[in-house]
């Protein structure tokens, strides 16, 4: 007998980063999912390395960011090498004042998964290993899975199914969802190397020359990730080892590697693909099951985290009978354009880096270094680059869940709530907007001067209509919070803003009129709130 429940409200297929994150976020919303994976245990290889600011913001809400920071390495930017005898073009990413995490954190995927699994274990949510998905049957009422462990199989029912089982997703294949895209013509190598001396700085080194491509990522003191294109002379070798590539990397590309040992080596092909649909009735795809990217910017795992962040609160609300099922349509409508845009951007950048086209190689060799040197000193460019890499710049302004009835232009409904320091006038403590919204559920933030009677009326209305589901913060004008009023463009003493923040820290609603009836209309008619 397979030790699996007969029925669950949510089943997640895949215990990689996206699946584990999805489970953790559902637990935070009070949903106990069932997780199955065909593997026998957690990933032991380092695999995905980059953990970006937006992902660390999620982990902060889960209480895990300190553990990640303790184990990871903070990367401050990139060094680009285009000629053998030149100094690198150094590009520093600048996330200061935009997030609590103004850097890229490198941490092995094995450690990311371990930390997430420990969180699940602490909340009594097990992973059923060695459990392969064989068949998926769904109707308007639910989903039935056939799961196999060894020679035994069992039918498991669920209300909702999440496919987080990677690029070769059994869930996606069972639903016959097309995975459109292609593969890069080159073969690539990856090696995690122990060096005889510590890596000299906190920069990612990218070497793109006529002779080939290579990149070095600092992981910890003496440990680095080395990736690149397998040279033409070795392209068809089936028994390739790192020792075969070391002379090419060291002498041809000019990368001084003093290697003590190689922890992990792999040769593989890279793909850029996206599912034609992220949802099929009661089944959702997240992470690599929905989209796979080139390695430019380390976007893959982080995009999977954002998929989970977007979907978890909506699905939990439906499972808890708080929201109408229609809110689930917004998952694909919000996340598919993001995935499509990332695929286009990362594909173009990666193609420029690894292309064999003569003209592009000449531009890359002579023009790009000059442009990078000029842009490196531009603060606006560095800030914009950080927003794109870190994913804090992603917005859902065109979403049906975003309602903007405000004169504000810089910050609009659909945007991520900006990270800004706050002085809590009530508690007399320093905090920040993200911390205010860390309790889960929606948050109503009212900015501007209100009468004590109005504030009391709003608080009583929330307590009676949305108890434990809508957090409320009132911020009157003050010198210590002046920057927040400026950011939301409150330029007069009489100006006000009613801001509703979603559980994923995106702004759902902004109105220049603070009115309980209008806020109630947004929550019931747009979000589809049913319980209130």
């Amino acid at each position: 007998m397979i030790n699996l429940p007969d029925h669950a409200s949510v089943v997640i297929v895949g215990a990689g980063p996206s699946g584990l994150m999805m489970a953790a976020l559902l637990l935070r919303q009070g949903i106990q999912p069932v997780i199955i994976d065909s593997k026998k245990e957690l990933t032991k290889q380092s695999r995905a390395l980059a953990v970006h600011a937006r992902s660390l913001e999620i982990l902060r809400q889960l209480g895990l960011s300190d553990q990640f920071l303790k184990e990871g390495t903070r990367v401050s930017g990139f060094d680009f090498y285009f000629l053998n005898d030149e100094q690198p073009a150094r590009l520093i990413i600048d996330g200061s004042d935009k997030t609590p995490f103004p850097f890229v954190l490198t941490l092995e995927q094995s450690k990311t998964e371990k930390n997430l699994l420990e969180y699940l274990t602490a909340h009594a949510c097990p992973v059923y290993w060695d459990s392969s998905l064989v068949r998926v049957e769904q109707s308007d009422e639910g989903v039935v899975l056939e799961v196999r462990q060894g020679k035994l199989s069992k039918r498991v029912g669920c209300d909702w199914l999440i496919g987080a089982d990677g690029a070769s997703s059994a869930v996606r294949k069972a639903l016959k969802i097309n995975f459109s895209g292609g593969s890069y013509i080159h073969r690539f190598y990856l090696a995690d190397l122990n060096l005889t001396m510590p890596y000299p700085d906190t920069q990612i080194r990218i070497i793109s020359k006529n002779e080939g491509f290579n990149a070095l990522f600092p992981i910890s003191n003496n440990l680095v990730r080395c990736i690149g294109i397998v040279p033409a002379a070795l392209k068809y070798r089936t028994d390739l080892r790192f020792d075969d590539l070391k002379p090419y990397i060291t002498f041809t590309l000019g990368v001084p590697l003093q290697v003590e040992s190689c922890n992990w080596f792999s040769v593989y092909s890279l793909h850029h693909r996206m599912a034609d649909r992220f949802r099929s009735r009661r089944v959702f795809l997240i992470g690599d099951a929905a989209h796979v990217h080139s390695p430019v910017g380390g976007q893959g795992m982080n995009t999977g985290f954002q998929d989970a962040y977007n979907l978890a609160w909506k699905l939990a609300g439906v499972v808890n009978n708080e929201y109408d099922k229609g809110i689930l349509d917004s998952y694909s409508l919000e996340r598919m354009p993001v995935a499509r845009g990332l695929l286009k951007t990362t594909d173009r950048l990666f193609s420029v880096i690894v292309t064999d086209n003569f003209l592009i190689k000449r531009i890359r060799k002579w023009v790009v270094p000059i442009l990078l040197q000029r842009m490196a000193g531009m603060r606006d460019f560095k800030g914009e680059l950080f927003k794109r890499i870190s994913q804090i710049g992603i917005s859902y302004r065109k979403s049906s869940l975003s309602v903007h009835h405000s004169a504000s232009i810089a910050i609009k409904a659909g945007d991520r709530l900006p990270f800004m320091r706050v002085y809590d006038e009530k508690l007399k403590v320093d905090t920040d907007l993200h911390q205010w919204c860390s309790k889960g559920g929606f948050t109503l933030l009212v900015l501007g001067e209100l009468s004590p009677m109005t504030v009391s009326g709003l608080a009583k209305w929330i307590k009676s209509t949305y108890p434990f589901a809508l957090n409320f913060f009132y911020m009157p004008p003050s010198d210590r919070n002046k920057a927040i009023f400026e950011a939301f463009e409150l330029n007069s003493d009489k100006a006000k803003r009613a801001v509703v923040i979603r559980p994923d820290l995106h702004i759902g609603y902004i109105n220049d009129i603070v009115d309980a009836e209008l806020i109630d209309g947004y929550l019931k008619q747009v979000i589809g709130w049913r319980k209130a």
Side-chain angles (χ1 to χ4, degrees):
M1 176 67 68
I2 296 179
N3 186 26
L4 273 169
D6 295 326
H7 188 273
S9 58
V10 180
V11 171
I12 300 170
V13 181
S18 298
L20 295 172
M21 177 62 83
M22 184 74 194
L25 292 169
L26 285 173
L27 283 168
R28 186 169 182 266
Q29 299 290 338
I31 304 299
Q32 191 84 12
V34 167
I35 315 163
I36 65 172
D37 196 293
S38 60
K39 301 192 302 291
K40 296 184 184 297
E41 58 185 356
L42 284 177
T43 299
K44 292 184 177 180
Q45 293 88 11
S46 57
R47 296 186 180 273
L49 279 184
V51 183
H52 289 308
R54 190 63 173 140
S55 298
L56 287 166
E57 290 175 0
I58 306 175
L59 293 165
R60 186 188 187 207
Q61 286 192 314
L62 293 171
L64 294 174
S65 57
D66 287 347
Q67 182 65 28
F68 275 70
L69 295 177
K70 179 182 177 181
E71 296 180 0
T73 296
R74 304 180 191 198
V75 172
S76 58
F78 303 87
D79 279 345
F80 293 89
Y81 292 82
F82 295 98
L83 295 171
N84 292 332
D85 57 354
E86 70 169 331
Q87 291 295 315
R90 172 159 287 193
L91 193 59
I92 302 295
I93 55 176
D94 184 6
S96 56
D97 300 324
K98 295 180 175 64
T99 174
F101 313 104
F103 44 79
V104 177
L105 190 78
T106 56
L107 183 69
E108 301 97 307
Q109 181 177 320
S110 56
K111 293 181 179 178
T112 294
E113 292 184 3
K114 178 183 71 69
N115 289 334
L116 289 171
L117 183 61
E118 287 176 354
Y119 178 91
L120 300 184
T121 302
H123 290 78
C125 181
V127 174
Y128 295 90
W129 301 105
D130 195 22
S131 301
S132 300
L133 180 69
V134 178
R135 186 175 292 106
V136 177
E137 301 170 7
Q138 68 166 320
S139 65
D140 292 336
E141 288 71 41
V143 185
V144 178
L145 316 175
E146 183 181 345
V147 181
R148 180 172 296 154
Q149 288 181 344
K151 295 182 179 180
L152 300 176
S153 62
K154 180 177 181 175
R155 289 172 68 84
V156 177
C158 62
D159 300 320
W160 304 95
L161 176 66
I162 311 294
D165 48 342
S168 300
S169 171
V171 175
R172 189 189 65 244
K173 291 176 181 178
L175 297 174
K176 295 181 170 56
I177 296 176
N178 192 36
F179 204 37
S180 304
S183 303
Y184 297 100
I185 60 173
H186 301 286
R187 290 180 79 206
F188 297 83
Y189 60 84
L190 178 156
D192 286 350
L193 307 172
N194 276 312
L195 304 182
T196 56
M197 60 185 67
Y199 190 78
D201 52 37
T202 59
Q203 299 288 108
I204 295 171
R205 295 184 179 185
I206 297 176
I207 300 97
S208 183
K209 302 179 180 179
N210 288 333
E211 298 83 3
F213 162 79
N214 180 266
L216 291 174
F217 299 79
I219 300 176
S220 59
N221 290 330
N222 291 57
L223 185 63
V224 299
R225 159 75 55 82
C226 178
I227 66 171
I229 298 173
V230 176
L234 301 173
K235 185 175 181 178
Y236 299 105
R237 282 273 301 272
T238 57
D239 58 344
L240 200 63
R241 299 174 302 141
F242 177 73
D243 287 344
D244 300 317
L245 287 165
K246 187 178 176 182
Y248 159 76
I249 297 170
T250 303
F251 298 109
T252 305
L253 296 182
V255 182
L257 286 177
Q258 301 297 321
V259 179
E260 183 176 288
S261 62
C262 179
N263 290 355
W264 180 42
F265 178 74
S266 179
V267 177
Y268 56 96
S269 297
L270 284 173
H271 311 279
H272 47 101
R273 297 182 182 276
M274 177 173 157
D276 291 351
R277 293 175 288 151
F278 283 12
R279 180 187 180 187
S280 173
R281 296 162 79 183
R282 287 179 170 267
V283 182
F284 299 88
L285 301 177
I286 67 172
D288 286 355
H291 43 76
V292 292
H293 308 257
S294 83
V296 167
Q299 299 296 298
M301 180 179 71
N302 295 276
T303 305
F305 284 170
Q306 301 310 317
D307 291 342
Y309 202 28
N310 185 286
L311 177 59
W313 68 270
K314 300 171 183 176
L315 184 58
V318 171
V319 172
N320 288 328
N321 203 32
E322 292 177 339
Y323 312 149
D324 185 85
K325 292 178 183 177
I327 196 173
L328 297 175
D329 294 335
S330 67
Y331 168 65
S332 294
L333 294 175
E334 290 181 348
R335 293 305 299 168
M336 287 189 74
V338 172
R340 192 177 294 115
L342 282 172
L343 274 170
K344 184 182 295 185
T345 302
T346 56
D347 181 44
R348 285 177 177 173
L349 288 173
F350 194 62
S351 295
V352 168
I353 291 172
V354 303
T355 185
D356 292 325
N357 179 277
F358 176 79
L359 178 60
I360 295 178
K361 286 171 71 174
R362 303 306 292 175
I363 293 173
R364 188 178 68 202
K365 184 175 181 179
W366 297 107
V367 179
V368 173
I370 297 172
L371 290 176
L372 284 174
Q373 288 172 352
R374 290 182 177 178
M375 291 185 295
M378 300 167 58
R379 182 175 176 81
D380 289 346
F381 172 78
K382 290 189 290 185
E384 187 61 32
L385 177 65
F386 180 82
K387 284 172 63 177
R388 288 182 176 273
I389 291 175
S390 66
Q391 301 195 4
I392 66 172
I394 289 172
S395 177
Y396 305 132
R397 289 187 178 185
K398 296 181 179 180
S399 170
S400 60
L401 303 186
S402 301
V403 174
H404 190 80
H405 295 314
S406 174
S408 63
I409 297 173
I411 300 173
K412 290 190 174 185
D415 293 350
R416 160 190 168 270
L417 178 71
F419 174 79
M420 302 191 73
R421 302 292 178 183
V422 171
Y423 178 70
D424 191 316
E425 301 281 0
K426 183 178 180 180
L427 299 178
K428 306 301 180 185
V429 296
D430 292 311
T431 181
D432 60 74
L433 288 180
H434 286 196
Q435 193 63 31
W436 264 5
C437 302
S438 65
K439 296 179 181 179
F442 280 75
T443 300
L444 171 62
L445 172 63
V446 175
L447 304 171
E449 190 68 53
L450 301 181
S451 69
M453 184 178 294
T454 302
V455 175
S456 177
L458 277 172
K460 289 179 180 178
W461 167 71
I462 291 170
K463 187 175 181 180
S464 63
T465 312
Y466 297 96
F468 310 110
L470 181 61
N471 306 304
F472 175 45
F473 289 99
Y474 166 56
M475 183 183 294
S478 70
D479 290 339
R480 298 187 70 166
N481 291 323
K482 185 178 179 180
I484 294 175
F485 280 73
E486 291 176 348
F488 280 90
E489 300 170 76
L490 288 154
N491 301 317
S492 72
D493 294 339
K494 295 183 179 180
K496 301 175 182 65
R497 296 281 188 274
V499 184
V500 177
I501 298 106
R502 304 174 357 170
D504 59 359
L505 294 184
H506 279 267
I507 298 170
Y509 167 92
I510 304 182
N511 201 321
D512 295 344
I513 300 172
V514 180
D515 183 274
E517 188 174 343
L518 294 175
I519 297 166
D520 190 59
Y522 168 74
L523 294 173
K524 288 181 177 176
Q525 296 170 25
V526 178
I527 298 300
W529 213 304
R530 302 172 59 180
K531 203 171 184 179

